[in-house]
Structure formats: C-alpha cells, structure tokens
Amino acid sequence: MNFRLLKDKILSKLMLVFTLASVSLLVIIGIGLYYKSIPIIHRLSWSELITSSIWKPLKGLFGFFPFIMGTLWVTAIAIVIALPLCLLTALYIVEYAPTRVKRILTPFVNLLSGIPPVIFGVWGVLFIIPLIQIYIAPHFVEFSTGYSVLAGGIVLAVMIFPLIVSIISEVLRTIPQELKDASLSLGATKWETIKKVILRKALPGIIAAAVLAISRAFGETIAVLMVCGNNAAVPHSVFDPGYPLPALIANNYGEMLSIPLYDSALMFAALLLFIIILVFNIISRVILARLERRLAA
Amino acid sequence: MKKRKFEELFFRILMVLATILVAGSFFLIVGTVFFKGFHYMNLDMITKTPGGGFYIGKEGGVLNAIVGSFYVAGGATILGLLVSIPVAIFINLYMDGKRFLSNTIRMAFDVLFGIPSIVYGAFGFLIMVYFGIRASLLGGIIAVTLLVIPILVRTLDEVIRTVPFELRDAALSLGSTRWETAKVVLRQIRPGIFTAILLSFGRAIGDVASVLFTAGFSDNVPTSLHEPAATLPLAIFFQLGSPVEEVQGRGYASALILTIIVLTITILSDILIKKFSKHKI
C-alpha cells in the first residue's frame, strides 16, 4: 500500500520536472539566443542593428534593415493574398457547403497542411517562378527573373492556407445559431447575415487567425529561401528580390564560424525572429483562449 | 431588392471560387511534383547511396538521405514521446483544481508550437556547441526533438481530454492511485498515441531548417549517432541548387519520394483518427 503511494508520489514529481523543463524551454531559448548575440549588441547598438542597411560582414558591418524589410514584404504579400481567400473558403465550408462537400473538402485542407516546406519550395521554383517571369512580370516591369518577394509571398500564402482556414472555421462554428436565425427571420439574406452578424461577431477570431498566420509566415525558412532571390537590398517593388531573416540564417550557417561576429549576428537574427513571433503568438493565443471561454460560458 | 439578390449571388460565386483555389492548390502542388519527378524516378534512387560522380549526374540514389531522415524523425519522435506522455498526463491528471495553471501551461505549448523550426535549429546548434557535439545524427535528433515536443503534447492533451471523466472517477473511487488511473487512461488513448506519433513523424521528416545546422550531410548511411546524417529535404534542397540538369532532376524525384512518404503518413493518421472516434466510449 505504502509502496503504491510512494510510486505515485515519485512519478508525480518526475512528471512535474518534465513539464517544467519543457515549458521553460520558451525562456531558455530566449536567454540562449540573447546570450549569444551579446557581442554584436555591445559592438553596435540595437537601433543601429535594426535600422542600418549596410551588410558587410567582412568589414564588421551588420545592418539588418534589408532583411527585416524582406521579411515584412513577403509576409505582407502572403497575408493579403491568403486572408480574403481563406475567409471566403471558411465561410463557404461552414455556412453554405452541404455536408457531403464538407466531408470531401476537409481532408484536402488537412493534407495541404502536411506537405513539407521544401516541397512548397520545389513547387515555387517549378510553377510560380515561371508564372511570374513569363506571364505576370512582363506586364509591369521590363525584366524579372521571377525570383522575387512576390514569389515568396505567393508560396507563403499557400502554406498558411490550412492554418487560417481551420482557425476561422472553428471560430465561425462558435457563433450561436440563434443569432443567425434572428437575422434571417428579420428578412436578411444569408450574405447580409454573414456581413452584419457573423463577421462582426467573428472579428476577434479572424484577427487572431491573421496574427497567428503572420507569425507563421515570419519564420518560414526554406520555401521562401528557394524562391525569393536572396539579395541583401531593400525591395522596392513586388518583382524585386528580397532576403528575409530566416533565409539569411539558413544560407550562411556554413561561414558562420569563420568570420568574426558573424555567428553572433546570425544568432541576433534568430533572436529577433524569436521575439517577434513570441509576441504575436501570445497575442493571438490570448484572443483565442478568450473566445473559447466565451463559448464555454 | 434585386441588388440584394445580386450581391448574394456574387459573393456566393466568389466563395466557391476561393474554395476551389484553396483546395485545388493541394492538387496543383502534388501534381507539379509528380509530373516533374516521375520522369526522373527509378529504382536506383531508393536503393543506392550516391556513387562517385553523383553530383555531376552519374549513378547513385538518395538512400542515404531516406534512411537518415527516418533515423532523425524516428529518434526525435521516440525521445519526444518519452517527454510528452508524462507532460500530457501531468497536465490532465495531476493538476485538478488548478485550471488557471494548467491552461497557462497549455498556452505555453501552443506558443512553443508556433516557434519556427529555424529558431529550434539555431538553438539546437547552441546546445551542440555548448556540449561540444559536432554536426551529427545525434545533433539532428536533439533539435528535431525540441521541434516535435509541442506537437506531441498538444495532440496527446487533446486525446486525453476526450476520455470521459467517469472513467477516471471510477478508477479513483476503486482506490487506485493517480498513476494507476493514468495507466487506465493511457490504455484508452492507445490509438490516439499512434496518431500523435504519425503527426510528429510527418512533421519531423519534412523539416529542413532544424536539421540544417545540426545533422550535417553525408553520402553514407550513418552507422553511429556521432556520424553526420543526410536528410531527404536537405538533399532535395542541395540537388535543386545544382547547375547540372540530371542532378536537378534527381531533386525532383527526391521531392516525389518525400511527398509520397508524407502523404502516406497523413492519410494513415486520418484513418486512425476516424477509427479512434468510432470506438470511443
């Protein structure tokens, strides 16, 4: 009898340790990356690192501005493409689609989310790049190789489809049927109900989905790296190449240890990503948790 | 009146088009990869390691990368399970009456799930430098384990929450300790554990950014934990960067292999989820 209680006690402590250890990973990653970026933060200040556009590692000049802009461009393009499409898709799946269609559609969204990033990259190179180079870019600019922030944005948009669709659908399902019925019984059409009742009610959830998708897009590495052109300059149009932060880290790990301060600079890039994504994630998770609580109440 | 009907129709068509585009993108991607990769696919690709002139277009395959990927993903999933099963049990069975705390922990794992793999890769690299481990199978497994722990915890947590409270109460009221109750619950969720394993394995086998710094690359199948290991996504990335057409083609074929592996895993887990929900009490 005592032995059983003892076993329970010991195991409970052990599990507590595992839980605390894995949760504290969140803090440890931040500390570790910060610790490694101290040399470069001391050498150049935070503001200089973030606002300078000169990237010459061999001369000890590390300006992250082009990379931050590269990240913002691809992310903005991705979300502008993906959010309206996914909102419409989620509305269709939840409000309009007959059960049979729903049952066919859901697995595909699921399958899409399982496809590895590198495959999206391959698809980008084979499909999106020629599409931009031959069919889209000639209408707007004289010459483009196709490797551009637009290509990165499109590939990213497709990658975040499943995430946005699944979150928005879940949010839409939490809206009480009574509200919809009330609107419909007053003579509103289905679309008017969506516009004036459902979307208004679902707005926080849609924002949360967008924020979560943005943070996912921020950190996406390999697919963007393969189609973005990787030129360390601030892009000025969607057909310019860009060089997002994750691509910078991934592309230069080889030389990292041979140039002084380079490793510190790359860890600083990882730290920047980590902080931005952490903040965005916490914001959206808090909104979603609140919605869930409202549903439970 | 007419305008309202027109607006309704307009948006309805827009919704259908958007849905076709979103769901269709899956076919577009898989179709592109199949179309391009099939042409370069042969038996050598999956049965041979790279030969002498592999990178200038001579004979060989990517067996090294396939096996390496399975080692990394398998090792990480096993290690990840060892950590996440206790965590999931702890949150659900040992934290009664501490709802706020357990929900905070859940949210922490949600946030960890959102951390991109490149950050896990960079952090894994820091750990390796700290302990003096070189780029190797072991390093790759460590980084990928960090990546899959949040996936496993979230999935297991969700599965455990589907077990009816009555079952736990019954076990507890018969005098069993919480650990003994946990064993009852674990037996209930066995198919759910398989689903979690498949999900984690699928994510692990397709990820590049986390193994980039940590696993290294090698033309041989690794025979120990301290040897560098090739991984399939990384092999695809390298081959695509080659100027030789034949090598690029092999990159497409490797992409086809990876796609088939991952789709098989996803479909298997879908089937398991359906089966699981059928036999649930």
Side-chain angles (χ1 to χ4, degrees):
Chain A
M1 180 64 190
N2 253 332
F3 173 71
R4 285 173 59 211
L5 285 179
L6 190 70
K7 193 165 149 194
D8 187 62
K9 263 241 152 70
I10 292 171
L11 282 169
S12 110
K13 290 285 176 282
L14 202 68
M15 286 189 242
L16 177 67
V17 170
F18 272 66
T19 308
L20 289 181
S22 39
V23 167
S24 58
L25 201 58
L26 211 50
V27 184
I28 297 171
I29 292 177
I31 294 173
L33 293 177
Y34 179 70
Y35 178 75
K36 275 287 172 183
S37 12
I38 286 176
I40 194 140
I41 297 173
H42 272 228
R43 178 76 179 280
L44 313 149
S45 65
W46 273 87
S47 60
E48 205 184 332
L49 284 169
I50 293 176
T51 54
S52 160
S53 318
I54 303 160
W55 180 261
K56 285 188 176 130
L58 284 169
K59 292 187 180 153
L61 294 169
F62 297 96
F64 282 95
F65 190 64
F67 305 103
I68 295 172
M69 286 314 284
T71 305
L72 290 181
W73 271 85
V74 286
T75 307
I77 294 171
I79 205 79
V80 165
I81 297 173
L83 193 58
L85 280 176
C86 292
L87 185 56
L88 287 169
T89 304
L91 281 172
Y92 180 73
I93 291 179
V94 177
E95 299 296 332
Y96 286 92
T99 326
R100 223 181 43 217
V101 178
K102 235 181 265 184
R103 211 176 294 151
I104 298 170
L105 280 177
T106 334
F108 287 118
V109 179
N110 209 349
L111 283 174
L112 189 62
S113 73
I115 292 179
V118 74
I119 301 295
F120 282 95
V122 172
W123 174 68
V125 171
L126 288 175
F127 189 84
I128 298 295
I129 299 287
L131 187 73
I132 292 176
Q133 188 189 4
I134 301 169
Y135 296 104
I136 301 178
H139 294 290
F140 301 96
V141 288
E142 265 179 26
F143 176 75
S144 167
T145 55
Y147 290 89
S148 55
V149 284
L150 180 61
I154 295 176
V155 171
L156 263 184
V158 179
M159 290 185 79
I160 55 179
F161 277 169
L163 181 74
I164 308 183
V165 170
S166 65
I167 294 181
I168 295 186
S169 318
E170 243 165 69
V171 171
L172 289 177
R173 280 191 202 105
T174 66
I175 292 166
Q177 186 64 40
E178 291 83 356
L179 276 178
K180 302 178 203 168
D181 290 348
S183 164
L184 289 171
S185 66
L186 287 172
T189 62
K190 197 143 193 191
W191 171 250
E192 282 168 335
T193 307
I194 289 175
K195 200 166 61 175
K196 297 190 173 143
V197 178
I198 297 181
L199 285 186
R200 197 165 295 179
K201 214 53 182 151
L203 190 65
I206 295 170
I207 293 173
V211 173
L212 209 58
I214 289 172
S215 76
R216 165 68 76 73
F218 265 148
E220 192 38 60
T221 311
I222 207 77
V224 181
L225 172 109
M226 288 164 81
V227 296
C228 226
N230 303 329
N231 182 12
V234 179
H236 294 288
S237 92
V238 292
F239 298 108
D240 280 347
Y243 205 162
L245 278 171
L248 171 75
I249 306 172
N251 245 348
N252 295 291
Y253 74 100
E255 300 122 68
M256 179 149 84
L257 295 172
S258 50
I259 301 170
L261 279 180
Y262 208 176
D263 60 331
S264 185
L266 292 185
M267 289 306 158
F268 179 75
L271 179 66
L272 269 184
L273 270 182
F274 176 75
I275 294 173
I276 298 170
I277 289 167
L278 191 67
V279 171
F280 274 49
N281 255 286
I282 292 176
I283 293 173
S284 60
R285 289 298 173 187
V286 168
I287 299 176
L288 286 174
R290 247 195 221 146
L291 280 179
E292 204 173 306
R293 215 171 312 141
R294 193 184 70 190
L295 180 73
Chain B
M1 186 62 193
K2 260 215 157 140
K3 188 176 157 267
R4 290 174 61 199
K5 288 272 188 243
F6 176 75
E7 198 183 323
E8 170 90 32
L9 188 70
F10 175 75
F11 277 99
R12 206 163 164 169
I13 292 170
L14 220 56
M15 278 182 215
V16 174
L17 287 179
T19 309
I20 291 172
L21 196 65
V22 169
S25 57
F26 168 76
F27 291 103
L28 202 55
I29 292 167
V30 173
T32 310
V33 171
F34 261 82
F35 181 72
K36 269 291 203 179
F38 202 72
H39 181 66
Y40 294 95
M41 195 61 198
N42 54 46
L43 202 60
D44 278 2
M45 281 297 291
I46 51 170
T47 54
K48 286 192 178 140
T49 57
F54 182 71
Y55 294 100
I56 50 169
K58 298 237 179 73
E59 81 290 330
V62 290
L63 181 69
N64 59 327
I66 298 174
V67 176
S69 268
F70 271 91
Y71 281 170
V72 170
T77 302
I78 292 169
L79 273 185
L81 270 183
L82 290 181
V83 176
S84 47
I85 289 183
V87 172
I89 289 179
F90 188 81
I91 304 175
N92 280 290
L93 284 121
Y94 284 79
M95 293 187 77
D96 287 340
K98 295 174 197 152
R99 271 191 76 87
F100 178 75
L101 204 59
S102 60
N103 281 338
T104 311
I105 292 177
R106 282 197 181 101
M107 200 189 290
F109 278 105
D110 278 344
V111 173
L112 275 172
F113 176 68
I115 303 291
S117 55
I118 186 88
V119 171
Y120 283 113
F123 181 68
F125 181 74
L126 289 186
I127 297 179
M128 285 164 54
V129 171
Y130 187 79
F131 288 106
I133 307 171
R134 277 180 305 140
S136 59
L137 187 56
L138 180 64
I141 290 178
I142 293 174
V144 178
T145 304
L146 299 179
L147 179 76
V148 297
I149 284 177
I151 303 173
L152 284 167
V153 171
R154 278 167 41 116
T155 316
L156 289 173
D157 178 49
E158 243 164 66
V159 178
I160 291 182
R161 279 205 272 181
T162 63
V163 177
F165 273 101
E166 290 82 356
L167 195 73
R168 302 182 210 178
D169 293 347
L172 287 171
S173 67
L174 285 171
S176 58
T177 63
R178 285 174 301 184
W179 169 245
E180 284 154 358
T181 312
K183 282 198 276 192
V184 175
V185 171
L186 278 179
R187 179 165 303 200
Q188 272 296 312
I189 62 161
R190 208 179 290 163
I193 295 178
F194 279 115
T195 316
I197 291 174
L198 286 176
L199 272 178
S200 138
F201 193 83
R203 177 82 194 271
I205 206 166
D207 198 75
V208 196
S210 56
V211 290
L212 197 54
F213 318 109
T214 51
F217 202 84
S218 149
D219 281 349
N220 303 314
V221 173
T223 49
S224 91
L225 276 175
H226 299 286
E227 280 177 33
T231 44
L232 200 47
L234 207 50
I236 297 171
F237 179 58
F238 286 155
Q239 286 167 343
L240 237 60
S242 158
V244 185
E245 203 196 315
E246 189 64 24
V247 179
Q248 277 186 16
R250 290 215 193 96
Y252 304 144
S254 312
L256 178 57
I257 297 171
L258 180 62
T259 309
I260 293 174
I261 294 175
V262 169
L263 285 185
T264 313
I265 292 171
T266 319
I267 292 170
L268 262 182
S269 70
D270 258 17
I271 294 173
L272 263 180
I273 289 175
K274 281 213 188 89
K275 227 177 178 176
F276 179 43
S277 44
K278 206 189 289 170
H279 294 298
K280 210 168 60 181
I281 19 172

